[in-house]
Each structure stands twice: as C-alpha cells, then as structure tokens.
Amino acid sequence: MKIGWLTPFLGEVGGIRSIIETGNSLVKMGHNFFMITDKMHNKPAWINFTGEIVGVAEAEKMNFDCVINQDPYCRNWDKNIDSSIKILHICSGHLHCYDKMADDYNIVTTIFNKGVQYARSKLKKTNIFRIGQGINLTQFFRRDSNYFSHKNVFFCCRAYNIGNNQKGAITAYNLLYPLRDKYNICAWDNTKDSAPPGINFILCSAGVNRTSYAESIYHKADVIVALDQVSAWSHIAAEAMACGIPVISNGIGLEDFGIPDYNYVLLDNYNLIEEKIDRLLDDDTYRKKIVDNAYNIIINFTWEKRAKRLLDVMGNFL
C-alpha cells in the first residue's frame, strides 16, 4: 500500500514524532510511506525515518492509496494529489482547528475519545475511527528499580516562555518553585530559551531518537509532574510510565491510558501538590503500585499496534 501523510513540521514536536514512528512501523510491514511537506530544507539530521520525504509538487505527480492530513496548515495541499481515499486525522486538543477542514474529508481518525465525540457532533461525520497513539518501548525502557533518591521532582518546561503548552509549564513552575529547598526541582526542555529562573535545568535535545531522554531525564527522576493544558496525548506521562517513574498529572492528555489514582496520581487540587509528592516519595508500597499499574498499561500502546489499526481503517474503504 502507498500512503502519504501531510505535515508542515520537520522539527522536534510530538506530531512529527508520531508520523515518523507510524511510518516506520508501516514500512516494516512492507508498505510505502511518504511524509509530504512544504519545508524540505528544514529536515534536521536527527530524523530517523525509514520512509521517504517528498514535497507537495512531487506528491502531485504520484498516485497514493491513502493520503492523511492532521494539520489545518496543510489544508488544500492534497487537492491535486491523486489518492483512492483521504483521511482527516484529529490529534490535537485544539479541536476547533479542524472546523474548516470538515468538508474536505469523509473519513476521520483520531487518537482520543474527545476527538470521536467532536467529529460526530461538531463535524457531523459518521466514518470515525479511534486509532490511538503509541510509544517506542526500545527507547523508553524501565529504569533499574534500585535507583531512588527520594528527592528528584522533574517537570518539562517546554514552551515556558511561549507556545501551545505555555500555561502548563508556567503552572508547574509556580507550584514547584516554592518547594525547591525541600526537593531537587528540575526542569528540562530542548531549548535554553525555555529555562525558568531559579531552579535546575537540563538541556536535552534528542529529537525522535529519544533514548537519551530516557537516560538523561526519566531515569534520574523520582517523580514526574505533567500538567498539560491542551494535549490529546501526553508524551511526557506515557514516556515516564514506560520508564517506571510515577506521574502526577491534572489528567489532561492521559485520557487514553490513564486511570486516576490507579496508574497516575491525579492533581485535581493544585494546593495538594506537596502532599501528593510526599506520599510518592515516602510510601514505597503506594509508589510501587502506581508504577507497576502504569507500566502494565502503557506497554500495550505501541506504534506497531497503531499502524495496524490505521491499516484496518484503510481496508474498510479500499
């Protein structure tokens, strides 16, 4: 099967990572997979992609079995691309972004339940399929359980200064900064521009090859605080769970794989963050229960399974 996926990004963002991982899985299964973009010159050296990257003009000369679009920026890119079926993929928590794309696609895939509900009620679609998201378990592997400092509380400060998740990063910083003398509070991101003042900061830019993220961040943390604001899928929470690190979260982005106070600690009252952290650090039985439950659930979310679900959707219409 010949599959094309439209994307304006070739940088370090969750959206491009999911396209690459899905594409690599499809290539392993014997399919031809193409990322279609308008920014060929922006391809970073770290992209570990086994498919092909082509420009829009080149794609217009090709014939595809399926073309997928997940970004409003790419609207009309596939207007002149020959494809048997075209799919709208809803993967962002900013659901309103897809409103103007509805008329262009009859088939919708999404990664979470809210995307299904939105496509059915707002977009008035009937061919809606939830294919989920995935995680690379060879890059994010469980840490040695003997390592535990009872001190390290980490959070991702991505877009602390500007960006889609700015509010989440600032919220985590404001909650944790007053606790910096009690815990080793550490923030990380892939750019120094995001470094918040007054606490430890780790610069960790590993791109799609995320093994160094696991070793540099998750394998050193005792608790991960993930306070997303708009994510449909929290990569941070999922990656921490795969590495055996307990997660404290407001629940945003954990809809597909999170069960409050079963495989992550729900922070529904921000005033209780110190109490939540202390219990995870001091109660070994409780921490182990959260960690084990999280690991046993997240290992079922692989990119291979996501790719197979996508193929099943295509098979319904080809």
Side-chain angles (χ1 to χ4, degrees):
M1 195 174 296
K2 196 172 183 178
I3 304 159
W5 202 305
L6 307 174
T7 175
F9 302 113
L10 287 179
E12 170 53 274
V13 292
I16 187 66
R17 189 159 74 247
S18 67
I19 296 173
I20 288 175
E21 294 281 8
T22 303
N24 288 348
S25 295
L26 289 167
V27 170
K28 282 183 182 178
M29 298 175 192
H31 301 280
N32 297 314
F33 188 88
F34 299 81
M35 278 199 294
I36 304 171
T37 183
D38 66 339
K39 297 179 180 178
M40 296 293 292
H41 60 284
N42 285 346
K43 180 185 175 184
W46 53 255
I47 284 189
N48 182 23
F49 179 52
T50 55
E52 296 185 46
I53 301 176
V54 297
V56 175
E58 185 177 353
E60 289 177 348
K61 301 174 185 177
M62 304 166 65
N63 298 313
F64 293 88
D65 293 298
C66 178
V67 169
I68 303 164
N69 184 11
Q70 69 178 43
D71 198 293
Y73 180 87
C74 305
R75 190 186 179 193
N76 295 325
W77 281 16
D78 55 356
K79 184 177 181 180
N80 297 316
I81 296 177
D82 186 13
S83 177
S84 298
I85 59 173
K86 294 182 179 181
I87 294 176
L88 172 63
H89 182 60
I90 296 175
C91 63
S92 170
H94 296 288
L95 293 173
H96 65 277
C97 294
Y98 300 100
D99 287 356
K100 295 182 180 180
M101 302 173 67
D103 293 339
D104 300 335
Y105 303 90
N106 291 320
I107 306 169
V108 176
T109 57
T110 183
I111 67 174
F112 62 147
N113 278 331
K114 287 182 181 177
V116 173
Q117 296 163 5
Y118 164 80
R120 182 178 295 124
S121 61
K122 178 68 175 180
L123 303 185
K124 307 301 181 185
K125 301 298 180 181
T126 55
N127 296 319
I128 309 166
F129 303 88
R130 181 177 164 198
I131 64 170
Q133 193 72 306
I135 188 168
N136 189 323
L137 296 174
T138 61
Q139 293 178 348
F140 295 97
F141 49 96
R142 195 157 183 174
R143 182 186 66 183
D144 184 350
S145 59
N146 293 324
Y147 177 88
F148 191 69
S149 74
H150 292 266
K151 187 82 172 175
N152 295 332
V153 179
F154 285 18
F155 75 99
C156 180
C157 62
R158 183 165 304 143
Y160 176 79
N161 291 316
I162 189 169
N164 289 339
N165 202 35
Q166 183 183 24
K167 185 178 179 182
I170 292 175
T171 299
Y173 171 76
N174 288 340
L175 291 174
L176 294 173
Y177 180 80
L179 305 176
R180 65 193 183 283
D181 292 329
K182 182 175 182 178
Y183 313 115
N184 175 27
I185 305 298
C186 188
W188 85 89
D189 194 10
N190 59 6
T191 171
K192 290 181 180 179
D193 295 338
S194 289
I199 59 174
N200 296 322
F201 175 74
I202 297 177
L203 179 65
C204 188
S205 183
V208 173
N209 185 5
R210 313 270 292 174
T211 304
S212 66
Y213 258 69
E215 295 172 343
S216 300
I217 305 297
Y218 300 113
H219 288 192
K220 293 181 180 179
D222 297 312
V223 175
I224 292 288
V225 176
L227 301 180
D228 286 359
Q229 297 298 315
V230 297
S231 292
W233 170 278
S234 175
H235 288 280
I236 294 165
E239 291 163 0
M241 290 177 178
C243 291
I245 314 303
V247 172
I248 295 176
S249 172
N250 53 10
I252 297 176
L254 278 73
E255 180 185 10
D256 256 24
F257 58 90
I259 304 173
D261 298 321
Y262 178 78
N263 69 338
Y264 77 95
V265 177
L266 177 64
L267 186 65
D268 52 357
N269 181 345
Y270 286 171
N271 293 324
L272 299 179
I273 189 167
E274 185 175 3
E275 177 184 318
K276 304 280 188 178
I277 293 172
D278 282 343
R279 187 178 180 190
L280 282 173
L281 295 181
D282 298 336
D283 188 334
D284 292 345
T285 301
Y286 175 67
R287 183 181 65 254
K288 186 177 186 303
K289 182 195 78 169
I290 294 290
V291 166
D292 288 346
N293 290 341
Y295 183 78
N296 290 334
I297 289 176
I298 203 63
I299 58 175
N300 293 303
F301 290 86
T302 66
W303 294 112
E304 291 79 11
K305 289 182 179 180
R306 169 185 157 99
K308 289 177 181 177
R309 286 191 288 268
L310 181 59
L311 288 173
D312 288 341
V313 172
M314 295 178 195
N316 290 330
F317 299 93
L318 290 174

